[in-house]
Amino acid sequence: MHFELTSWLRRFLTTHRAAAVGATLVGIVLLIALVGPIVSPHDAMDPVTDADAYAPPSASHWLGVDSQGRDIFARLVAGARTTLLIALLATVLSAVLGSIIGAVSGYAGGKTDFLLMRGVDFAMSFPGFLLAMVTVAVLGKQLSNVIWAVGLVGAPLFARQMRAEVLRIASRDFILAARAVGAGPVRVMLFHILPNCVAPLIVLSTLAMGTAVLDVAGLMFLGLGGDPYQPEWGLMLKQAMEELGRADLQMTAAGGCIFITVLGFNLLGDGLRDEFDPKIKAGK
Amino acid sequence: MLGYALRRLAIAVPLLLAVLLACFILMHALPGDPVTAHMGPKYDEERAQAIRERLGLDKPLLVQFGLFVRDVGLRFDFGDDMDGRSINGHLATHIPATIELALAAMFIATIVGISAGVIAAGRAGKLRDATVMTASLAGVSLPIFWLGLLAQRCFRRGGLLSEWVGFAGVEVTGRASDATILTFTQLEKAAAADLGPAPTSFYLIDAAFIARDWSAFTDVLTHLALPALVLATVPTAMIARITRAAIGGELNEDYVRTARAKGVPRRRIMRRHILRNAAIAIVTTLGAQLGYLLGGAVLTETIFQWPGLGQFVVQSILKQEHRQLMAAVFVIAIAFVLINLLVDLSYGLIDPRVRLQRQNT
């Protein structure tokens, strides 16, 4: 099978306009997170020397200066890196952990399947954000634990999806053939089943990134992410709440960044799902 | 129907036991010694021991679990917090606050969400549909804490709206102004002295039916409006999306064409035929969203300083009040199980096939 990535991308982005908008938003935010802190002239942590606290926007400080005398634009750009990196790590954790649970559940069947899936049902019947908060409470209020909390809470969704995929694929002839020639369960899983589940996993990961950004920023906003001085969008909103009325620009910018990022991932994820889900396609 | 209800109830029992066990494990999995954390720098071994004894923390784990099942599981008694105040007392004020806010938000979300979904589905592929779907996707993507802050900035006294258009502004934090709360405290005192009915802690009900005080009622309503609207955003968007999808799935069914051929008016087809069939999906979403609102209003409650369960959870974590956190999680979990039970029971009411099918197996 020959797969042309560029021609596929061109077709995908022209047929799914909303997804193209989403991809653009995500691309911009990723670009800012990658190169922003390098090109930004000011430090995100130290107070600037050429302006007072609460200074309005100027040529040197595009979004002004916050109450601690720090450049808001520099913090916003550095915050993109923090928020996105934590959300990304959490999503990877969700995907890996959830996929393993789902794969084992679907492949083993029987009692293992029953127990694992009841556990997944149990975890999914609670609001994810509350579970994430409780997880942080158990692990301790640190940035690294925010990754664990958001990652663990996202895992059940992947487990369900992966189990369904494994059940769909495991009964196909090529799996039977692989097992007949003596491939063990791990080999079948890694080399025969997993490559066939890539598309749904990408769709789910994209959508999960949106949720993860919201959850990470929310946990930080509540003060559950450790060091309150680090540049992070949720923390910037927390600071803006404490100074409501005097930090309008910081509030608008930090919240707007979260909104744009989440919207971008949701638009892109919806588009990818329409593209990859044969059921929806057939209905068109 | 009764048999179906009983069978559903039987499924809920092991779930409740699982919740009970999970809460006990949670309480003991939380890091750090709560007594040490509570006493801070003024740590004193003898007093610490006294607190441990009072809370039963010095007993063996198995005995503690037995006491836990007896107190929490059978008597719904969560014991005392570190300062020796009854946790049940805290819950008695925080639970009604959360329920009042959640129901208000749900009221808004149900009406707006279902209407938007119906409008979008009726014009599938047209501009109105695209508008509703785009707005709902934006609604799902909105960080609710940002929306809350923006709303406060605009609507509070001396906020942006009063600067720009002279809007007087409303109180944006808490459940009611001090004067109204004083009225309610007096009601409580009167009730304690057998001079009148006890207030329910549902402020709208208390103001309207027990205090019968119009200004208190409007005061409570203005405090409730903004957080309820903000909290309603995500559920409204979700309900609109699900409603549109559920109705869209029914529009091309044979029964719709038959009804149309018979000359049944469009509105009547929508109400009597399509909505009935789409109801299961919609009710499922309503139940799930209500559950999320009861337990997930943490951010909204924090921003609007609404003294509900969400804020209680945050405070418990920040203060390392393990028992208090466990109690809040327990209550939210029970609410969840009950809502799911009600949703399942409603399936039986909506769709006769559900209750009959289960009977045969």
PDB file of all heavy atoms in Angstrom, chain A residues 75-105:
ATOM      1  N   ARG A  75       5.688  35.914  29.463  1.00  0.00           N
ATOM      2  CA  ARG A  75       5.078  34.865  30.298  1.00  0.00           C
ATOM      3  C   ARG A  75       4.069  34.049  29.503  1.00  0.00           C
ATOM      4  O   ARG A  75       3.952  32.842  29.674  1.00  0.00           O
ATOM      5  CB  ARG A  75       4.404  35.488  31.527  1.00  0.00           C
ATOM      6  CG  ARG A  75       5.394  35.971  32.551  1.00  0.00           C
ATOM      7  CD  ARG A  75       4.722  36.540  33.776  1.00  0.00           C
ATOM      8  NE  ARG A  75       4.076  35.550  34.632  1.00  0.00           N
ATOM      9  CZ  ARG A  75       4.716  34.663  35.369  1.00  0.00           C
ATOM     10  NH1 ARG A  75       6.020  34.622  35.340  1.00  0.00           N
ATOM     11  NH2 ARG A  75       4.061  33.816  36.123  1.00  0.00           N
ATOM     12  N   LEU A  76       3.346  34.740  28.632  1.00  0.00           N
ATOM     13  CA  LEU A  76       2.352  34.055  27.804  1.00  0.00           C
ATOM     14  C   LEU A  76       3.037  33.033  26.894  1.00  0.00           C
ATOM     15  O   LEU A  76       2.584  31.899  26.753  1.00  0.00           O
ATOM     16  CB  LEU A  76       1.620  35.097  26.964  1.00  0.00           C
ATOM     17  CG  LEU A  76       0.245  34.705  26.438  1.00  0.00           C
ATOM     18  CD1 LEU A  76      -0.716  34.550  27.584  1.00  0.00           C
ATOM     19  CD2 LEU A  76      -0.244  35.746  25.457  1.00  0.00           C
ATOM     20  N   VAL A  77       4.136  33.457  26.293  1.00  0.00           N
ATOM     21  CA  VAL A  77       4.868  32.611  25.361  1.00  0.00           C
ATOM     22  C   VAL A  77       5.526  31.432  26.096  1.00  0.00           C
ATOM     23  O   VAL A  77       5.458  30.281  25.657  1.00  0.00           O
ATOM     24  CB  VAL A  77       5.912  33.477  24.623  1.00  0.00           C
ATOM     25  CG1 VAL A  77       6.931  32.610  23.956  1.00  0.00           C
ATOM     26  CG2 VAL A  77       5.223  34.367  23.613  1.00  0.00           C
ATOM     27  N   ALA A  78       6.115  31.737  27.245  1.00  0.00           N
ATOM     28  CA  ALA A  78       6.709  30.660  28.038  1.00  0.00           C
ATOM     29  C   ALA A  78       5.615  29.732  28.566  1.00  0.00           C
ATOM     30  O   ALA A  78       5.806  28.519  28.693  1.00  0.00           O
ATOM     31  CB  ALA A  78       7.510  31.249  29.192  1.00  0.00           C
ATOM     32  N   GLY A  79       4.437  30.328  28.859  1.00  0.00           N
ATOM     33  CA  GLY A  79       3.309  29.541  29.352  1.00  0.00           C
ATOM     34  C   GLY A  79       2.818  28.552  28.311  1.00  0.00           C
ATOM     35  O   GLY A  79       2.364  27.453  28.657  1.00  0.00           O
ATOM     36  N   ALA A  80       2.893  28.936  27.041  1.00  0.00           N
ATOM     37  CA  ALA A  80       2.491  28.022  25.967  1.00  0.00           C
ATOM     38  C   ALA A  80       3.296  26.739  26.080  1.00  0.00           C
ATOM     39  O   ALA A  80       2.768  25.633  25.953  1.00  0.00           O
ATOM     40  CB  ALA A  80       2.717  28.678  24.609  1.00  0.00           C
ATOM     41  N   ARG A  81       4.601  26.907  26.344  1.00  0.00           N
ATOM     42  CA  ARG A  81       5.476  25.748  26.457  1.00  0.00           C
ATOM     43  C   ARG A  81       5.067  24.871  27.653  1.00  0.00           C
ATOM     44  O   ARG A  81       4.876  23.662  27.507  1.00  0.00           O
ATOM     45  CB  ARG A  81       6.904  26.241  26.639  1.00  0.00           C
ATOM     46  CG  ARG A  81       7.922  25.268  26.162  1.00  0.00           C
ATOM     47  CD  ARG A  81       9.287  25.884  26.244  1.00  0.00           C
ATOM     48  NE  ARG A  81       9.801  26.235  24.933  1.00  0.00           N
ATOM     49  CZ  ARG A  81      11.096  26.448  24.705  1.00  0.00           C
ATOM     50  NH1 ARG A  81      11.958  26.378  25.691  1.00  0.00           N
ATOM     51  NH2 ARG A  81      11.508  26.744  23.499  1.00  0.00           N
ATOM     52  N   THR A  82       4.906  25.492  28.823  1.00  0.00           N
ATOM     53  CA  THR A  82       4.545  24.727  30.026  1.00  0.00           C
ATOM     54  C   THR A  82       3.227  23.986  29.819  1.00  0.00           C
ATOM     55  O   THR A  82       3.156  22.766  29.981  1.00  0.00           O
ATOM     56  CB  THR A  82       4.388  25.665  31.238  1.00  0.00           C
ATOM     57  OG1 THR A  82       5.349  26.693  31.152  1.00  0.00           O
ATOM     58  CG2 THR A  82       4.511  24.907  32.531  1.00  0.00           C
ATOM     59  N   THR A  83       2.181  24.740  29.471  1.00  0.00           N
ATOM     60  CA  THR A  83       0.851  24.146  29.371  1.00  0.00           C
ATOM     61  C   THR A  83       0.820  23.029  28.332  1.00  0.00           C
ATOM     62  O   THR A  83       0.335  21.929  28.603  1.00  0.00           O
ATOM     63  CB  THR A  83      -0.189  25.216  29.009  1.00  0.00           C
ATOM     64  OG1 THR A  83      -0.002  26.338  29.880  1.00  0.00           O
ATOM     65  CG2 THR A  83      -1.594  24.684  29.160  1.00  0.00           C
ATOM     66  N   LEU A  84       1.370  23.316  27.144  1.00  0.00           N
ATOM     67  CA  LEU A  84       1.312  22.320  26.077  1.00  0.00           C
ATOM     68  C   LEU A  84       2.143  21.085  26.414  1.00  0.00           C
ATOM     69  O   LEU A  84       1.719  19.957  26.164  1.00  0.00           O
ATOM     70  CB  LEU A  84       1.806  22.920  24.764  1.00  0.00           C
ATOM     71  CG  LEU A  84       0.788  23.767  24.015  1.00  0.00           C
ATOM     72  CD1 LEU A  84       1.395  24.285  22.728  1.00  0.00           C
ATOM     73  CD2 LEU A  84      -0.457  22.952  23.713  1.00  0.00           C
ATOM     74  N   LEU A  85       3.320  21.306  26.996  1.00  0.00           N
ATOM     75  CA  LEU A  85       4.180  20.161  27.304  1.00  0.00           C
ATOM     76  C   LEU A  85       3.516  19.246  28.327  1.00  0.00           C
ATOM     77  O   LEU A  85       3.481  18.018  28.167  1.00  0.00           O
ATOM     78  CB  LEU A  85       5.537  20.654  27.831  1.00  0.00           C
ATOM     79  CG  LEU A  85       6.575  19.552  28.010  1.00  0.00           C
ATOM     80  CD1 LEU A  85       6.935  18.958  26.656  1.00  0.00           C
ATOM     81  CD2 LEU A  85       7.834  20.082  28.696  1.00  0.00           C
ATOM     82  N   ILE A  86       2.936  19.852  29.378  1.00  0.00           N
ATOM     83  CA  ILE A  86       2.275  19.035  30.402  1.00  0.00           C
ATOM     84  C   ILE A  86       1.082  18.297  29.801  1.00  0.00           C
ATOM     85  O   ILE A  86       0.892  17.103  30.028  1.00  0.00           O
ATOM     86  CB  ILE A  86       1.833  19.914  31.586  1.00  0.00           C
ATOM     87  CG1 ILE A  86       3.073  20.507  32.240  1.00  0.00           C
ATOM     88  CG2 ILE A  86       1.045  19.120  32.597  1.00  0.00           C
ATOM     89  CD1 ILE A  86       2.776  21.413  33.359  1.00  0.00           C
ATOM     90  N   ALA A  87       0.300  19.023  28.993  1.00  0.00           N
ATOM     91  CA  ALA A  87      -0.866  18.386  28.372  1.00  0.00           C
ATOM     92  C   ALA A  87      -0.429  17.262  27.439  1.00  0.00           C
ATOM     93  O   ALA A  87      -1.046  16.196  27.399  1.00  0.00           O
ATOM     94  CB  ALA A  87      -1.688  19.429  27.617  1.00  0.00           C
ATOM     95  N   LEU A  88       0.653  17.494  26.706  1.00  0.00           N
ATOM     96  CA  LEU A  88       1.140  16.480  25.761  1.00  0.00           C
ATOM     97  C   LEU A  88       1.614  15.232  26.506  1.00  0.00           C
ATOM     98  O   LEU A  88       1.243  14.109  26.158  1.00  0.00           O
ATOM     99  CB  LEU A  88       2.288  17.059  24.921  1.00  0.00           C
ATOM    100  CG  LEU A  88       2.825  16.116  23.843  1.00  0.00           C
ATOM    101  CD1 LEU A  88       1.784  15.946  22.746  1.00  0.00           C
ATOM    102  CD2 LEU A  88       4.120  16.643  23.241  1.00  0.00           C
ATOM    103  N   LEU A  89       2.419  15.434  27.547  1.00  0.00           N
ATOM    104  CA  LEU A  89       2.902  14.289  28.319  1.00  0.00           C
ATOM    105  C   LEU A  89       1.735  13.520  28.933  1.00  0.00           C
ATOM    106  O   LEU A  89       1.716  12.288  28.933  1.00  0.00           O
ATOM    107  CB  LEU A  89       3.865  14.755  29.417  1.00  0.00           C
ATOM    108  CG  LEU A  89       5.228  15.261  28.922  1.00  0.00           C
ATOM    109  CD1 LEU A  89       6.046  15.825  30.068  1.00  0.00           C
ATOM    110  CD2 LEU A  89       5.981  14.135  28.233  1.00  0.00           C
ATOM    111  N   ALA A  90       0.741  14.274  29.434  1.00  0.00           N
ATOM    112  CA  ALA A  90      -0.427  13.618  30.035  1.00  0.00           C
ATOM    113  C   ALA A  90      -1.171  12.799  28.983  1.00  0.00           C
ATOM    114  O   ALA A  90      -1.597  11.670  29.254  1.00  0.00           O
ATOM    115  CB  ALA A  90      -1.350  14.667  30.648  1.00  0.00           C
ATOM    116  N   THR A  91      -1.315  13.359  27.782  1.00  0.00           N
ATOM    117  CA  THR A  91      -2.029  12.645  26.722  1.00  0.00           C
ATOM    118  C   THR A  91      -1.273  11.382  26.311  1.00  0.00           C
ATOM    119  O   THR A  91      -1.878  10.328  26.097  1.00  0.00           O
ATOM    120  CB  THR A  91      -2.234  13.557  25.508  1.00  0.00           C
ATOM    121  OG1 THR A  91      -2.900  14.745  25.938  1.00  0.00           O
ATOM    122  CG2 THR A  91      -3.070  12.879  24.453  1.00  0.00           C
ATOM    123  N   VAL A  92       0.067  11.496  26.209  1.00  0.00           N
ATOM    124  CA  VAL A  92       0.867  10.317  25.876  1.00  0.00           C
ATOM    125  C   VAL A  92       0.678   9.245  26.949  1.00  0.00           C
ATOM    126  O   VAL A  92       0.461   8.065  26.647  1.00  0.00           O
ATOM    127  CB  VAL A  92       2.360  10.697  25.738  1.00  0.00           C
ATOM    128  CG1 VAL A  92       3.217   9.450  25.647  1.00  0.00           C
ATOM    129  CG2 VAL A  92       2.570  11.569  24.519  1.00  0.00           C
ATOM    130  N   LEU A  93       0.706   9.677  28.217  1.00  0.00           N
ATOM    131  CA  LEU A  93       0.494   8.738  29.316  1.00  0.00           C
ATOM    132  C   LEU A  93      -0.871   8.058  29.193  1.00  0.00           C
ATOM    133  O   LEU A  93      -0.986   6.829  29.304  1.00  0.00           O
ATOM    134  CB  LEU A  93       0.607   9.481  30.653  1.00  0.00           C
ATOM    135  CG  LEU A  93       0.430   8.642  31.902  1.00  0.00           C
ATOM    136  CD1 LEU A  93       1.585   7.668  32.051  1.00  0.00           C
ATOM    137  CD2 LEU A  93       0.331   9.531  33.139  1.00  0.00           C
ATOM    138  N   SER A  94      -1.906   8.864  28.929  1.00  0.00           N
ATOM    139  CA  SER A  94      -3.254   8.310  28.753  1.00  0.00           C
ATOM    140  C   SER A  94      -3.263   7.277  27.636  1.00  0.00           C
ATOM    141  O   SER A  94      -3.808   6.180  27.792  1.00  0.00           O
ATOM    142  CB  SER A  94      -4.254   9.401  28.364  1.00  0.00           C
ATOM    143  OG  SER A  94      -4.405  10.334  29.364  1.00  0.00           O
ATOM    144  N   ALA A  95      -2.674   7.658  26.498  1.00  0.00           N
ATOM    145  CA  ALA A  95      -2.728   6.797  25.317  1.00  0.00           C
ATOM    146  C   ALA A  95      -2.011   5.473  25.577  1.00  0.00           C
ATOM    147  O   ALA A  95      -2.547   4.402  25.290  1.00  0.00           O
ATOM    148  CB  ALA A  95      -2.111   7.518  24.121  1.00  0.00           C
ATOM    149  N   VAL A  96      -0.802   5.549  26.145  1.00  0.00           N
ATOM    150  CA  VAL A  96      -0.029   4.326  26.376  1.00  0.00           C
ATOM    151  C   VAL A  96      -0.731   3.437  27.394  1.00  0.00           C
ATOM    152  O   VAL A  96      -1.016   2.255  27.144  1.00  0.00           O
ATOM    153  CB  VAL A  96       1.400   4.680  26.854  1.00  0.00           C
ATOM    154  CG1 VAL A  96       2.121   3.430  27.297  1.00  0.00           C
ATOM    155  CG2 VAL A  96       2.164   5.390  25.742  1.00  0.00           C
ATOM    156  N   LEU A  97      -1.057   4.037  28.540  1.00  0.00           N
ATOM    157  CA  LEU A  97      -1.674   3.258  29.608  1.00  0.00           C
ATOM    158  C   LEU A  97      -3.026   2.683  29.170  1.00  0.00           C
ATOM    159  O   LEU A  97      -3.299   1.485  29.336  1.00  0.00           O
ATOM    160  CB  LEU A  97      -1.856   4.168  30.830  1.00  0.00           C
ATOM    161  CG  LEU A  97      -2.084   3.471  32.142  1.00  0.00           C
ATOM    162  CD1 LEU A  97      -0.810   2.783  32.587  1.00  0.00           C
ATOM    163  CD2 LEU A  97      -2.519   4.486  33.203  1.00  0.00           C
ATOM    164  N   GLY A  98      -3.853   3.565  28.579  1.00  0.00           N
ATOM    165  CA  GLY A  98      -5.177   3.135  28.142  1.00  0.00           C
ATOM    166  C   GLY A  98      -5.107   2.052  27.078  1.00  0.00           C
ATOM    167  O   GLY A  98      -5.854   1.075  27.120  1.00  0.00           O
ATOM    168  N   SER A  99      -4.166   2.210  26.127  1.00  0.00           N
ATOM    169  CA  SER A  99      -4.042   1.223  25.056  1.00  0.00           C
ATOM    170  C   SER A  99      -3.637  -0.134  25.609  1.00  0.00           C
ATOM    171  O   SER A  99      -4.154  -1.167  25.173  1.00  0.00           O
ATOM    172  CB  SER A  99      -3.017   1.683  24.021  1.00  0.00           C
ATOM    173  OG  SER A  99      -3.432   2.891  23.460  1.00  0.00           O
ATOM    174  N   ILE A 100      -2.708  -0.118  26.569  1.00  0.00           N
ATOM    175  CA  ILE A 100      -2.280  -1.397  27.148  1.00  0.00           C
ATOM    176  C   ILE A 100      -3.464  -2.078  27.835  1.00  0.00           C
ATOM    177  O   ILE A 100      -3.755  -3.256  27.598  1.00  0.00           O
ATOM    178  CB  ILE A 100      -1.119  -1.190  28.140  1.00  0.00           C
ATOM    179  CG1 ILE A 100       0.123  -0.716  27.371  1.00  0.00           C
ATOM    180  CG2 ILE A 100      -0.824  -2.473  28.903  1.00  0.00           C
ATOM    181  CD1 ILE A 100       1.294  -0.375  28.252  1.00  0.00           C
ATOM    182  N   ILE A 101      -4.188  -1.294  28.656  1.00  0.00           N
ATOM    183  CA  ILE A 101      -5.340  -1.874  29.357  1.00  0.00           C
ATOM    184  C   ILE A 101      -6.355  -2.415  28.349  1.00  0.00           C
ATOM    185  O   ILE A 101      -6.833  -3.549  28.460  1.00  0.00           O
ATOM    186  CB  ILE A 101      -6.008  -0.828  30.269  1.00  0.00           C
ATOM    187  CG1 ILE A 101      -5.040  -0.401  31.376  1.00  0.00           C
ATOM    188  CG2 ILE A 101      -7.300  -1.375  30.871  1.00  0.00           C
ATOM    189  CD1 ILE A 101      -5.563   0.722  32.233  1.00  0.00           C
ATOM    190  N   GLY A 102      -6.664  -1.587  27.345  1.00  0.00           N
ATOM    191  CA  GLY A 102      -7.661  -1.989  26.350  1.00  0.00           C
ATOM    192  C   GLY A 102      -7.226  -3.206  25.559  1.00  0.00           C
ATOM    193  O   GLY A 102      -8.021  -4.113  25.307  1.00  0.00           O
ATOM    194  N   ALA A 103      -5.939  -3.241  25.176  1.00  0.00           N
ATOM    195  CA  ALA A 103      -5.433  -4.354  24.377  1.00  0.00           C
ATOM    196  C   ALA A 103      -5.474  -5.649  25.178  1.00  0.00           C
ATOM    197  O   ALA A 103      -5.958  -6.681  24.688  1.00  0.00           O
ATOM    198  CB  ALA A 103      -4.011  -4.055  23.917  1.00  0.00           C
ATOM    199  N   VAL A 104      -4.991  -5.582  26.419  1.00  0.00           N
ATOM    200  CA  VAL A 104      -5.020  -6.777  27.271  1.00  0.00           C
ATOM    201  C   VAL A 104      -6.452  -7.244  27.463  1.00  0.00           C
ATOM    202  O   VAL A 104      -6.764  -8.430  27.328  1.00  0.00           O
ATOM    203  CB  VAL A 104      -4.358  -6.477  28.642  1.00  0.00           C
ATOM    204  CG1 VAL A 104      -4.624  -7.614  29.609  1.00  0.00           C
ATOM    205  CG2 VAL A 104      -2.869  -6.245  28.467  1.00  0.00           C
ATOM    206  N   SER A 105      -7.341  -6.284  27.723  1.00  0.00           N
ATOM    207  CA  SER A 105      -8.740  -6.609  27.973  1.00  0.00           C
ATOM    208  C   SER A 105      -9.372  -7.287  26.759  1.00  0.00           C
ATOM    209  O   SER A 105     -10.018  -8.328  26.873  1.00  0.00           O
ATOM    210  CB  SER A 105      -9.485  -5.328  28.326  1.00  0.00           C
ATOM    211  OG  SER A 105     -10.773  -5.621  28.751  1.00  0.00           O
TER     212      SER A 105
END
